[in-house]
Amino acid sequence: MKYLIFFALTVLNFSIYSQSLCESQRYLTEVFSDHTFDGAIQYGADDPYGLVSNQDLFLDVYQPLGDTLDKRPVIIHQYGGGYLIGWRSEPNIPTFADEYTKRGFVFISIDYRIGFNPLDANSAERAVYRGILDLRASLRFIMDNADTYGIDTNNIFLTGTSAGSISAMGQTYMQESDRPSSTYGSTLEPSNLGCVNCTGNNNYNNQEVKIHGIVNNWGAVIDTSIINLAQDPTDNVPLISFHGTNDNIVFYDEGSPFSFPIFPNLQGSFLIHKRLETQGIKNKLVPLVGSGHEPQLLNGNITDTILKHGCQFLYEIMQGEIEPIVGDSTVCYNDEKTYSVPFTNGSRYCWEVTNGTIINQNQNQVTVLWQTTGIQLLSVNEINYLDVNRERNFS
């Protein structure tokens, strides 16, 4: 007589990174003790505000010390400072670099051109556009040098604080058609700043580089309507935002920076979140209740919050779409059944079974002999080429 065996398939989500074949918590917690540093690498040059000669532009690369992966995700950081002040190693950037690299990311901090006339709204718009141009130039350089720095170009993430986040979102969601008219030349600054992909350098054949996610720290956009999947499907870039609800420099909802009316009205993280929700774009808003601008400088817990939620958000992006396990959900006593998940090059697969016997296993596929009645358990843990666990549940 045969007895029906009902079983559930689930996934063991291992949570400790080690040398074990079936365990990894890279990106979610510290798995490296230190990092290497390569500083002052020139990625481009361009005309700065107020000067005739070109300004050389540099970046710093931080990498996990002792890492054995050939390809790692990269986080590219642009400093804050209202497009008037700042530098690529200003306070808190080395802290972010250290924390992200300990979790297994490559971290790159870049220069960009700063300076504008605070009494001229056109000049301020042009400063933002320069920041976007320089960020795009750095991305093209990174694409051409990905092998040198062990970067996985399928996982390029942007971050920054204040002005840096404004540039990150501007370069990601803005197209050539979205350029402010001031960037073609204004009364006091008649020079054309150039197209969005053709200044600073000629790397990557001047192509736009695909971004896979953004960590926005108290940034804003000129108008959330530029995020429009119907007009531009490439706007589908996940974003997590951290923003003080009492920020009076870059407002949480909407307003002119510093409440100075000469500056254009900007829409902050709250309105960006609402727009992404209506567009169906993966996003998360973490309100820093009661906090003002750049709160991490006075409160280290803010940095911890950014790392905790930000790394989890990026981790989910790197997991990608997770296809279900394929196999029969109802079998008979003494049946041999085969179960599988799609094969991914570079992944390793660890299967476990309770009250059954794995009689054959070939990476993403197992054959199980079911010899016990009742509810059984089959589990698999796939760790992809980035050392990311990919969870699966049978349905």
Side-chain angles (χ1 to χ4, degrees):
M1 179 177 180
K2 293 186 176 180
Y3 299 88
L4 292 180
I5 300 175
F6 298 94
F7 63 93
L9 293 103
T10 187
V11 179
L12 299 180
N13 184 19
F14 297 97
S15 59
I16 300 176
Y17 178 83
S18 70
Q19 295 301 312
S20 170
L21 181 68
C22 299
E23 297 178 352
S24 176
Q25 201 181 1
R26 183 179 177 128
Y27 313 115
L28 296 177
T29 191
E30 294 183 6
V31 295
F32 297 95
S33 60
D34 206 349
H35 62 260
T36 63
F37 175 77
D38 295 299
I41 301 165
Q42 185 171 355
Y43 74 83
D46 217 325
D47 292 332
Y49 169 77
L51 298 175
V52 176
S53 59
N54 272 4
Q55 174 184 341
D56 292 336
L57 300 168
F58 299 92
L59 54 78
D60 297 335
V61 180
Y62 303 76
Q63 301 181 62
L65 179 65
D67 194 7
T68 59
L69 286 187
D70 295 329
K71 303 290 184 183
R72 291 81 53 85
V74 62
I75 297 173
I76 299 157
H77 187 285
Q78 248 181 319
Y79 57 80
Y83 297 96
L84 284 172
I85 60 173
W87 60 101
R88 67 179 184 275
S89 59
E90 68 181 16
N92 213 241
I93 291 179
T95 299
F96 276 125
D98 187 57
E99 295 291 347
Y100 279 121
T101 54
K102 283 181 178 178
R103 287 162 172 77
F105 294 92
V106 177
F107 185 91
I108 297 178
S109 179
I110 73 164
D111 277 339
Y112 61 98
R113 292 167 290 168
I114 57 177
F116 66 94
N117 181 353
L119 300 178
D120 181 357
N122 287 331
S123 186
E125 279 189 343
R126 287 166 64 86
V128 174
Y129 187 66
R130 287 191 196 92
I132 290 171
L133 295 179
D134 295 345
L135 177 54
R136 289 204 170 193
S138 74
L139 289 167
R140 296 194 301 270
F141 175 87
I142 289 166
M143 288 294 291
D144 276 354
N145 293 275
D147 290 343
T148 300
Y149 303 111
I151 290 170
D152 175 34
T153 57
N154 291 314
N155 286 283
I156 297 177
F157 304 114
L158 301 182
T159 191
T161 58
S162 192
S165 283
I166 291 173
S167 292
M169 290 185 288
Q171 91 81 37
T172 301
Y173 299 123
M174 191 187 89
Q175 304 303 316
E176 183 76 24
S177 59
D178 298 318
R179 279 182 62 179
S181 60
S182 63
T183 66
Y184 294 92
S186 63
T187 302
L188 297 179
E189 299 176 21
S191 63
N192 186 333
L193 295 180
C195 73
V196 293
N197 291 312
C198 58
T199 67
N201 61 39
N202 293 317
N203 287 101
Y204 197 53
N205 293 322
N206 293 106
Q207 299 176 83
E208 181 177 353
V209 176
K210 178 174 174 53
I211 301 304
H212 298 84
I214 303 173
V215 179
N216 161 37
N217 301 308
W218 37 98
V221 297
I222 191 72
D223 189 338
T224 60
S225 66
I226 67 171
I227 307 171
N228 190 322
L229 291 183
Q231 294 180 1
D232 184 7
T234 65
D235 282 348
N236 191 9
V237 177
L239 180 142
I240 183 169
S241 293
F242 302 88
H243 209 135
T245 57
N246 290 349
D247 193 334
N248 60 1
I249 295 179
V250 177
F251 285 87
Y252 176 68
D253 47 11
E254 189 169 13
S256 298
F258 301 93
S259 298
F260 194 32
I262 194 68
F263 294 145
N265 184 72
L266 296 180
Q267 297 185 328
S269 298
F270 177 69
L271 295 182
I272 294 169
H273 165 67
K274 290 182 65 176
R275 178 65 176 180
L276 293 174
E277 286 288 291
T278 61
Q279 292 288 301
I281 298 174
K282 177 180 175 65
N283 79 100
K284 182 176 182 179
L285 173 63
V286 182
L288 305 175
V289 179
S291 293
H293 197 64
E294 296 277 4
Q296 87 291 359
L297 296 177
L298 299 176
N299 184 353
N301 290 332
I302 299 295
T303 300
D304 294 339
T305 297
I306 293 170
L307 290 166
K308 175 184 176 181
H309 293 281
C311 288
Q312 177 64 44
F313 189 80
L314 300 185
Y315 191 85
E316 292 170 6
I317 296 171
M318 290 186 289
Q319 283 181 317
E321 183 180 353
I322 300 176
E323 306 86 347
I325 297 172
V326 176
D328 289 341
S329 60
T330 304
V331 299
C332 296
Y333 183 78
N334 252 0
D335 272 356
E336 295 181 8
K337 295 291 184 179
T338 298
Y339 304 91
S340 66
V341 293
F343 176 75
T344 303
N345 191 36
S347 287
R348 57 188 187 269
Y349 302 85
C350 299
W351 295 85
E352 290 190 5
V353 62
T354 302
N355 295 326
T357 303
I358 295 176
I359 58 176
N360 186 51
Q361 178 175 341
N362 182 16
Q363 297 190 66
N364 62 312
Q365 180 176 289
V366 293
T367 301
V368 179
L369 173 63
W370 298 105
Q371 293 178 305
T372 305
T373 61
I375 297 176
Q376 313 299 320
L377 174 68
L378 178 68
S379 62
V380 61
N381 187 28
E382 175 192 357
I383 303 178
N384 71 10
Y385 72 100
L386 291 172
D387 263 356
V388 170
N389 294 302
R390 305 186 72 222
E391 301 179 13
R392 284 176 167 85
N393 292 287
F394 185 81
S395 59

